[in-house]
Amino acid sequence: MNETVDPVDAGVRVDRWLRKRFPDLPLARVHRLIRRGDVRMDRRRVQAGTRLIAGAVLRLPPTLAADSLTDPATSRARRPPLRAQQVQQVRHWLIYRDDRVLAINKPLGLASQGGTKVRWSLTDLLEGLRFECAQRPLIVHRLDRATGGVMILARDLPAARLLAKQFRTRQVQKTYWALTNRPPTRRKGTITAPIDGLAAHTDYRVLMQSARGCWLALFPRTGRMHQLRIHLAQLGCPIIGDRKYNGCKARVLHLHARRLVLTHPQGGRLSIRAGLAPSLVESWQAHGFLLHLKQPAPAS
């Protein structure tokens, strides 16, 4: 079984990638397969700590191929072709398109990639964004399943490598919006608090506040898992709808990836904004923030 390394997985350790790809595989077996040379990257043996390279070909033993076919969450081969309705829906998310780059406004609740208890992910729907290209677009970064907003996709492997490197080396300017029930004590500042022992920094600014809530702009300088959610909870103003860090029963996490600014693969700066999902617009307005936002039209 051969698999091409997605740019978003570049830099990940081989053993950790295998555990994610095959969650039921014991770690001891992963290391045994690697030691025996059953796992190779571009025909070369790897170590457990070998870092994946975007576009490289991983050779996996046939037994793992059989295992993957029993798990619909990780098997692309078993997916039927997208229906016309699905293609239309995916293309409605499109907010930017050129020869090298696409950008979508990812809906709330859609996982970026497959996994346990994930029936459909963005990865499964990328065929709908192929258009005239020889290959379907490539994911170069992730958003949490509960978070909607701007996601950048590459239309070829060289572009994917350049874009993924910018995310990996923190060259991308990110802006998020969050809605909280209470404001922080200061109208702007920086939250500096480690997450899982790793340094994490988030700049924030209050955009508006009312008796019902607070609208914050967040500018993460690092990219730790759940960083914004953890930092706002530590600041004493957790995000509305955050069941994990707020104990809130609201169904929707009120966190939105508003803007990304990065370097285009062909040079020049690219700035992409995504409008709030309709359900979030209703919440923002219910908290006293009458938005007059021009929602970006779907790209043609």
Side-chain angles (χ1 to χ4, degrees), residues 162-180:
L162 290 170
L163 293 168
K165 182 179 180 181
Q166 292 183 60
F167 282 95
R168 195 164 59 249
T169 56
R170 303 173 188 169
Q171 299 178 47
V172 180
Q173 297 175 24
K174 304 175 182 178
T175 302
Y176 287 77
W177 283 350
L179 190 64
T180 64

Side-chain angles (χ1 to χ4, degrees), residues 50-67:
T50 299
R51 303 285 177 172
L52 296 179
I53 300 171
V57 176
L58 283 178
R59 192 195 74 183
L60 307 176
T63 53
L64 292 186
D67 291 342

